[in-house]
Amino acid sequence: MEDEISDEDLMMSYSGGNADAFEVLYQRHKGPLYRFILRQCGESATEELFQDIWLNIINARSCYKVTASFKTWLYHNARNRIIDHYRRQSVRPVTSETVEASTVSSNPGTQPDRQLESQTLHEQLLAAIAGLPAEQKEAFLLREEAGLSIEQIATTTGTNAETAKSRLRYAMNKLRQQLGDNA
Amino acid sequence: MNTENDDISRIYQQTRTAGPSASTDDAILAASRKAAAAPKTAAGPFSGRWPAVASIAAVIIITIILIPVINVEHIQQKQSEPAAEDELSTSTLMQLSEAPAPEKKKRSLYQAAPANRPVLMKKEDMFNEGRTLTDEPIKSEMADYSRGREIPEAAASAIPHERSQKAAADSAPFAIFTPEMWQVKISRLIEQGEIEAASRELEELKNNYPDFDIDSTLLEKLQQHEQP
């Protein structure tokens, strides 16, 4: 039932004072948003940025317009917050920290060799993602984590659809090259 | 190509396990409930931009207030400029002109002036104009005053306010005599029967204000009296 209600309706309901609506929204988007930040800023800064972004959403609930897609609005806020973080740090995101120690979902039925192979592949992919240029990484994450379309990626990043499309294409090409025959 | 991209996406989806900690979840949800429970302040059309709107309104109000003040000051400044020239009121000079014309006209300093510009005369000459043996107390008193002597108390109390003001103004060596005042003086001389004096005054008026349009009624009056 909760999945049938759109993000926009939930946000409008929350701006009207319904705290439960926000909880549904939060549970839907907390994971993708967390990883979106994690892949770009590293583990040390992710928790703080994550909380800041959601607090901004809470404080700006009265400014939310029905015409704007909630996901676009959420990731636009997140992107701005990440840019502010970069400016304060005066460095680009640290790529080595984005590689997680274990990314393999537990599956008792998987053979140990295959599990190890899968883990290696995942690590390789995450390492390859960490090595992407910032704009391409951002486009990839908006596509794979947030599930945004090309047009929504363009709106979120302040570019046009062609630019968003080419960034995503370059990102995929590089990842394929990095993974090689293992993909 | 799309298949390869799909493979990458598939592999990536398997890595999506990281998430916020439970404490982070609790903190954010608590903040959201607190915000939802807080009284909602009405967000007007200028909320968030009210400082800019207030600044613009203040500038407009100050401008509206200041413009009239500046205009009033400008007008007052303009009005105060000719005040130094108009020390004597018309009525004061008319009262002075009531005295009969002197039999002997002293030399007076007349300056050729443009039309309607007041002529500066020496105070003594102006007072001597129309003087007879029967001087009015005011004249002699004022003459005494001009010579630095005090006016006797009784006489001073009899002096109307305008004349006393005139006495103060006469401390200056010259008094201002406009052509209009001159006409009044000539008219009074005619009424008093002082036709010769009136004629002389008329000639002086014409010499000093050649462009001044003398009242035709006055000219007719004088002509009637001059004709035998």
Side-chain angles (χ1 to χ4, degrees):
Chain A
M1 183 66 180
E2 289 175 348
D3 292 338
E4 295 174 359
I5 305 175
S6 67
D7 292 340
E8 292 75 27
D9 290 340
L10 286 170
M11 189 62 204
M12 289 304 295
S13 180
Y14 174 61
S15 69
N18 183 1
D20 293 336
F22 179 85
E23 190 165 349
V24 173
L25 262 179
Y26 179 75
Q27 297 297 338
R28 271 188 202 175
H29 297 285
K30 68 173 186 178
L33 182 63
Y34 185 88
R35 289 183 292 275
F36 176 75
I37 303 167
L38 177 66
R39 305 285 183 238
Q40 297 185 81
C41 303
E43 201 165 338
S44 58
T46 299
E47 287 281 340
E48 181 187 347
L49 291 173
F50 182 78
Q51 285 197 35
D52 284 350
I53 291 164
W54 280 111
L55 287 176
N56 286 343
I57 296 297
I58 290 167
N59 292 333
R61 63 192 183 283
S62 59
C63 300
Y64 177 71
K65 305 292 181 193
V66 180
T67 55
S69 161
F70 174 80
K71 234 193 266 187
T72 307
W73 185 53
L74 174 65
Y75 282 92
H76 182 72
N77 271 276
R79 184 174 179 270
N80 289 342
R81 187 65 186 87
I82 290 170
I83 290 171
D84 291 341
H85 170 72
Y86 288 159
R87 285 176 181 162
R88 279 208 309 273
Q89 300 292 328
S90 301
V91 292
R92 299 303 290 169
V94 178
T95 58
S96 60
E97 292 184 14
T98 61
V99 177
E100 295 175 4
S102 172
T103 59
V104 178
S105 57
S106 61
N107 188 348
T110 310
Q111 297 281 336
D113 290 338
R114 285 190 182 180
Q115 200 169 7
L116 186 62
E117 186 179 333
S118 180
Q119 186 174 351
T120 306
L121 193 59
H122 295 156
E123 287 175 355
Q124 286 179 356
L125 179 58
L126 291 176
I129 291 169
L132 287 174
E135 295 82 9
Q136 294 175 18
K137 188 194 313 182
E138 184 182 59
F140 177 83
L141 292 171
L142 286 173
R143 180 59 171 245
E144 297 298 330
E145 287 289 355
L148 299 184
S149 65
I150 296 295
E151 289 74 21
Q152 288 176 321
I153 291 172
T155 303
T156 303
T157 56
T159 58
N160 54 41
E162 284 304 314
T163 303
K165 199 173 180 180
S166 76
R167 285 177 182 175
L168 194 59
R169 185 171 64 247
Y170 283 127
M172 287 299 192
N173 290 341
K174 267 197 188 151
L175 293 175
R176 263 199 316 280
Q177 284 177 1
Q178 292 284 328
L179 293 180
D181 295 340
N182 293 333
Chain B
M1 187 71 74
N2 286 336
T3 308
E4 291 172 344
N5 289 347
D6 291 342
D7 289 340
I8 291 175
S9 295
R10 180 178 51 80
I11 296 170
Y12 180 77
Q13 293 300 319
Q14 294 171 358
T15 69
R16 300 173 68 215
T17 57
S21 62
S23 60
T24 300
D25 289 344
D26 293 341
I28 291 170
L29 291 174
S32 71
R33 286 189 216 103
K34 188 178 176 184
K40 192 175 179 183
T41 55
F46 301 109
S47 62
R49 290 181 287 165
W50 68 265
V53 175
S55 302
I56 293 169
V59 169
I60 293 170
I61 290 168
I62 289 170
T63 304
I64 291 170
I65 292 170
L66 279 179
I67 286 177
V69 170
I70 292 169
N71 286 339
V72 166
E73 286 180 354
H74 185 64
I75 290 168
Q76 284 177 351
Q77 191 179 5
K78 273 191 173 178
Q79 287 175 351
S80 66
E81 284 172 3
E85 297 176 357
D86 294 331
E87 292 179 357
L88 301 174
S89 64
T90 305
S91 59
T92 305
L93 288 173
M94 284 176 66
Q95 289 175 5
L96 289 173
S97 66
E98 287 175 8
E103 290 180 4
K104 240 185 201 178
K105 180 176 150 329
K106 282 192 176 179
R107 185 179 67 85
S108 60
L109 294 176
Y110 293 103
Q111 297 176 1
N116 299 329
R117 185 176 174 182
V119 172
L120 295 179
M121 295 173 62
K122 272 193 174 177
K123 177 188 61 64
E124 296 88 340
D125 294 327
M126 194 178 72
F127 287 145
N128 289 334
E129 294 290 330
R131 175 175 290 214
T132 61
L133 292 174
T134 57
D135 285 339
E136 291 183 9
I138 182 63
K139 288 295 171 100
S140 60
E141 301 301 344
M142 292 175 82
D144 287 336
Y145 181 82
S146 67
R147 286 193 284 271
R149 298 177 190 173
E150 288 184 3
I151 300 173
E153 190 175 9
S157 62
I159 300 173
H161 180 66
E162 282 187 352
R163 291 185 181 181
S164 61
Q165 280 187 328
K166 167 71 172 62
D170 287 341
S171 59
F174 292 95
I176 298 172
F177 207 47
T178 64
E180 289 78 12
M181 295 176 191
W182 219 324
Q183 281 189 146
V184 169
K185 182 180 177 183
I186 294 168
S187 176
R188 291 198 182 269
L189 288 172
I190 296 171
E191 288 170 3
Q192 291 164 2
E194 301 290 335
I195 307 302
E196 283 184 18
S199 296
R200 281 197 300 274
E201 292 298 326
L202 182 62
E203 288 304 316
E204 293 295 342
L205 172 58
K206 287 178 184 176
N207 289 336
N208 284 281
Y209 299 101
D211 296 330
F212 178 70
D213 190 17
I214 300 172
D215 188 12
S216 58
T217 311
L218 183 68
L219 294 172
E220 287 172 6
K221 258 191 208 176
L222 193 57
Q223 282 174 3
Q224 284 172 5
H225 284 88
E226 282 177 348
Q227 287 172 3

